[in-house]
């Protein structure tokens, strides 16, 4: 079966690994995600992943509680490394060779981020997980996803969420809420639709990287999207 994309960047929020726990990592959920990633890798698609850290620590929230913002953001970035290594473990346990590269050096447990090396791993069909965000405070892992996607020439960003796309109003509150099939970057920015933060959207716009917003909790959705099936909402030019 042909695929619509050869190289994708999958953005997983920290919450995606949390399941219904409310905090931390649910190993069963991580195993499910690993299984879905494995399916896509077996289809011959090169997969890079950026994982968030919101299931463990969020810099903005800690700063609101009185912590120094930059310091809090470093803690947030380290949280993403915990998620990255956990996901790596789940992938390797099912036979998917995976490398974690971190934007903050932690050489005992992961490779440092080296763009050319990341691309080489992908070419060898290894999954590459980018940990520690961009390495800079005041940024997010969504922006990191846009940045890394541009750096490694990913054709598309798959933004995994818990809803099946972008709606004109909150589908949980409004039963008549309509889901968009496609949207332009400009529309997302001017209407402040919080798909990804505006820095991330602007970076995607500038580099012409489409974003597919889809529901990760529906089994098989990543494979469907990779096959070119219309899953969720496509944000593009
Ligand atoms: N973070 C940061 N710089 C980055 C990426 C992340 O400082 O380039 C910090 C920030 O504190 C953020 C936390 O890491 O709150 C976790 O990332 P994020 O909130 O993006 O995770 P997600 O919402 O995807 O779970």
């Amino acid at each position: 079966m042909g695929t619509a994309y050869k190289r994708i960047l999958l953005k997983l929020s920290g919450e995606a690994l949390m399941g219904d726990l409310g905090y931390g990592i649910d190993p069963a959920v991580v195993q499910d995600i690993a299984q879905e990633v494995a399916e896509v890798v077996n289809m011959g698609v090169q997969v890079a992943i950026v994982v968030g850290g919101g299931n463990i620590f969020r810099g903005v929230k800690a700063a609101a509680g009185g912590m120094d913002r930059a310091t809090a953001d470093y803690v947030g970035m380290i949280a993403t490394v915990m998620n990255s290594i956990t996901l790596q473990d789940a992938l390797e346990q099912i036979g998917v060779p995976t490398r974690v590269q971190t934007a903050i050096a932690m050489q005992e447990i992961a490779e440092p981020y080296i763009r050319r090396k990341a691309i080489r791993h992908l070419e060898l069909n290894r999954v590459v997980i980018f940990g520690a965000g961009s390495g800079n405070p005041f940024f997010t892992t969504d922006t990191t996803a846009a940045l890394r996607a541009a750096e490694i020439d990913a054709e598309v960003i798959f933004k995994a969420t818990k809803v099946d796309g972008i709606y004109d109003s909150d589908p949980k509150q409004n039963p008549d809420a309509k889901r968009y099939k496609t949207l332009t970057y400009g529309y997302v920015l001017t209407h402040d639709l919080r798909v990804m933060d505006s820095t991330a959207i602007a970076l995607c716009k500038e580099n012409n990287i489409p974003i597919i917003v889809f529901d990760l909790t529906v089994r098989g959705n990543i494979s469907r999207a990779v096959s070119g099936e219309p899953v969720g909402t496509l944000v593009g030019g």
Side-chain angles (χ1 to χ4, degrees):
M1 186 173 57
T3 55
Y5 306 103
K6 283 270 157 267
R7 182 177 292 168
I8 65 166
L9 190 139
L10 174 64
K11 166 68 211 299
L12 299 169
S13 66
E15 272 103 350
L17 311 187
M18 183 170 79
D20 297 324
L21 289 185
Y23 177 82
I25 302 171
D26 182 339
V29 170
V30 179
Q31 283 161 17
D32 283 348
I33 294 172
Q35 205 68 54
E36 296 230 24
V37 172
E39 277 166 27
V40 173
V41 172
N42 291 334
M43 289 162 85
V45 178
Q46 299 175 10
V47 182
I49 303 176
V50 169
V51 196
N55 55 323
I56 300 170
F57 199 92
R58 247 182 232 291
V60 184
K61 209 171 149 206
M67 191 172 174
D68 171 68
R69 169 71 194 268
T71 309
D73 278 343
Y74 283 119
V75 178
M77 284 186 262
I78 292 167
T80 72
V81 180
M82 293 193 212
N83 288 333
S84 300
I85 289 171
T86 304
L87 183 58
Q88 177 188 36
D89 179 75
L91 282 163
E92 295 218 310
Q93 294 223 15
I94 55 169
V96 182
T98 305
R99 300 290 183 271
V100 175
Q101 291 200 342
T102 56
I104 294 170
M106 290 189 205
Q107 286 168 53
E108 287 75 10
I109 51 171
E111 293 177 7
Y113 173 63
I114 300 171
R115 177 178 162 265
R116 292 169 62 109
K117 206 165 171 187
I119 291 172
R120 185 75 189 129
H121 288 320
L122 292 169
E123 286 169 350
L124 294 171
N125 294 314
R126 296 174 182 144
V127 170
V128 179
I129 304 175
F130 297 117
S134 65
N136 305 296
F138 302 99
F139 283 83
T140 65
T141 52
D142 278 354
T143 302
T144 307
L147 173 65
R148 295 289 185 248
E151 288 183 272
I152 64 166
D153 258 325
E155 291 152 279
V156 62
I157 293 176
F158 283 11
K159 161 85 177 168
T161 65
K162 285 180 178 168
V163 279
D164 62 346
I166 307 172
Y167 284 78
D168 60 356
S169 57
D170 187 350
K172 280 191 200 123
Q173 284 171 22
N174 176 9
D176 296 326
K178 281 193 185 60
R179 179 163 62 89
Y180 296 106
K181 286 203 173 103
T182 58
L183 277 177
T184 63
Y185 304 109
Y187 191 91
V188 170
L189 286 171
T190 49
H191 291 76
D192 200 20
L193 300 176
R194 297 180 179 267
V195 193
M196 291 176 108
D197 57 81
S198 55
T199 315
I201 301 286
L203 209 49
C204 287
K205 179 169 191 263
E206 224 164 86
N207 295 289
N208 233 336
I209 304 166
I211 307 158
I212 296 177
V213 182
F214 73 102
D215 186 352
L216 182 72
T217 62
V218 176
R219 192 93 189 58
N221 255 355
I222 306 181
S223 306
R224 270 180 217 112
V226 159
S227 306
E229 277 182 50
V231 172
T233 301
L234 175 79
V235 181

